[in-house]
Amino acid sequence: MKWRGHEGKVLDSVGGFDVIDCHACAFKHIIPIPTSEEMEHLYRHDYYSTTKPLYIDRMREDAAWWELTYSDRYDALESLLPPGRRRLLDVGSGPGLFLKHGKDRGWDTLGVEPSQQAAEHSRGLGLEIIEGFFSVDMKRDIGLFDVVHMSLVLEHIADPAILLRMVHELLKPGGLVCVVVPNDYNPFQQAVRESVGGGTPWWVAPPHHVNYFDFESMHALLVRSDFDVVLQEATFPIDLFLLMGDNYVGNDELGRICHAKRKMMEFTLEAAGMAHVRRKLYRSLASVGLGREVCVYGRKSQGV
């Protein structure tokens, strides 16, 4: 199918949108692509109140687990940067827990967040937040950074390549971008889908999720955006529970039970002094394209 320069095989059709494996973009995305005005209204006013009304409460409930997750991520960033390189911008900073963790360990942090509810929550944590969508005008006023972090952002953006080019310009030489996106159309999802004879893919969620990445396509997009990929990690492959018969799709209670088991595994390894095993596991999963999320770190060239 072809739509305004975007052409590729139609993989799925959900809610009036087609997911295509786009030749031009080299990643999967929906068509038609929502306009910037549609996306602004969706995220500024509706996302946390209508689409994800429990999100902030769930983050508070899982605060200890998020601290563990964010500790691993900041450890990785600090291992890739020299001391003194600790200025971080979080694009799509949500309720602010990632920024708060960084601020508490001595980082100079700034967040950009379009949702009114999430921005207010973040300011309540004492964080500096710019409320709005990241833009060219904003980029001119905020200076340069050692790290730009974007977790669960690029799947929502009409043109991720443009955003990554702006991020590249914001980074000091040798600076890092850390991108986290869902690992969609991954082998575990496909196996579950095949085993039940097809049906609607539960991970396709237009218009909120515009793009659908995997490790290969995310790596390639960063390289095309002039980053050197220095580290790839996965998050826990929650789809494993589906393979084992725990069908949490559409079942919030069961989903929380599965999530609690995932947290217990990670907490247990931490308590046993085996955090390195957890990290090695997730880096190994990334090497074979598995895990629920793709986490990729890219470095801007020292000479740029």
Side-chain angles (χ1 to χ4, degrees):
M1 177 174 284
K2 190 170 184 178
W3 184 82
R4 299 182 183 179
H6 298 277
E7 186 174 7
K9 179 183 177 182
V10 176
L11 302 175
D12 288 295
S13 298
V14 176
F17 294 87
D18 293 325
V19 180
I20 65 168
D21 194 356
C22 185
H23 301 316
C25 298
F27 55 82
K28 303 171 182 70
H29 63 76
I30 61 170
I31 55 172
I33 298 172
T35 66
S36 57
E37 292 78 14
E38 290 169 337
M39 299 302 284
E40 180 168 354
H41 179 79
L42 189 67
Y43 290 105
R44 188 179 294 277
H45 302 289
D46 296 342
Y47 192 60
Y48 286 102
S49 60
T50 303
T51 306
K52 289 197 171 185
L54 297 177
Y55 187 77
I56 293 176
D57 288 341
R58 289 280 168 83
M59 284 204 77
R60 291 193 190 107
E61 182 182 330
D62 290 340
W65 174 72
W66 281 113
E67 284 292 297
L68 184 65
T69 300
Y70 293 153
S71 178
D72 282 353
R73 200 166 298 167
Y74 275 100
D75 284 349
L77 292 170
E78 290 173 2
S79 74
L80 294 166
L81 287 170
R85 298 283 303 267
R86 298 292 184 267
R87 186 166 194 245
L88 179 142
L89 175 68
D90 193 10
V91 177
S93 53
L97 297 188
F98 180 78
L99 287 173
K100 181 65 164 55
H101 183 98
K103 184 178 180 180
D104 288 347
R105 63 194 281 168
W107 284 67
D108 177 13
T109 65
L110 174 65
V112 176
E113 173 53 48
S115 164
Q116 292 174 337
Q117 297 97 320
E120 289 172 5
H121 184 270
S122 299
R123 293 191 186 105
L125 298 176
L127 299 169
E128 184 179 358
I129 303 293
I130 300 173
E131 187 177 323
F133 283 86
F134 185 65
S135 66
V136 173
D137 290 339
M138 187 186 299
K139 181 172 70 71
R140 296 191 188 105
D141 300 329
I142 58 177
L144 298 178
F145 294 84
D146 301 301
V147 174
V148 176
H149 177 260
M150 294 188 292
S151 179
L152 304 180
V153 170
L154 290 187
E155 68 270 24
H156 301 281
I157 301 299
D159 194 333
I162 289 177
L163 178 55
L164 282 170
R165 284 197 291 272
M166 289 197 291
V167 166
H168 192 276
E169 293 171 4
L170 270 177
L171 284 169
K172 300 173 186 177
L176 300 171
V177 62
C178 176
V179 174
V180 182
V181 292
N183 183 21
D184 285 326
Y185 289 91
N186 73 65
F188 285 172
Q189 289 175 334
Q190 299 284 39
V192 172
R193 191 178 185 187
E194 289 296 322
S195 70
V196 298
T200 301
W202 64 91
W203 60 89
V204 175
H208 299 91
H209 286 203
V210 178
N211 309 302
Y212 298 85
F213 295 101
D214 55 21
F215 282 95
E216 183 178 354
S217 61
M218 192 70 253
H219 183 288
L221 180 58
L222 282 174
V223 170
R224 292 198 303 275
S225 303
D226 294 324
F227 290 100
D228 297 321
V229 173
V230 293
L231 179 63
Q232 293 191 126
E233 299 178 317
T235 60
F236 182 86
I238 198 75
D239 319 277
L240 271 175
F241 287 105
L242 298 174
L243 290 173
M244 295 184 291
D246 291 322
N247 186 5
Y248 57 76
V249 178
N251 184 336
D252 184 68
E253 182 179 359
L254 181 56
R256 293 299 290 173
I257 291 171
C258 293
H259 177 56
K261 291 179 179 179
R262 169 250 189 100
K263 290 194 298 181
M264 179 59 69
M265 185 209 78
E266 297 185 351
F267 282 135
T268 301
L269 288 172
E270 183 75 14
M274 296 184 181
H276 64 287
V277 174
R278 182 180 65 245
R279 294 170 189 169
K280 187 175 181 180
L281 170 65
Y282 290 156
R283 292 174 188 182
S284 297
L285 286 172
S287 71
V288 292
L290 296 175
R292 183 61 196 100
E293 291 164 331
V294 172
C295 182
V296 184
Y297 299 75
R299 188 187 302 278
K300 179 176 178 176
S301 170
Q302 292 284 352
V304 179

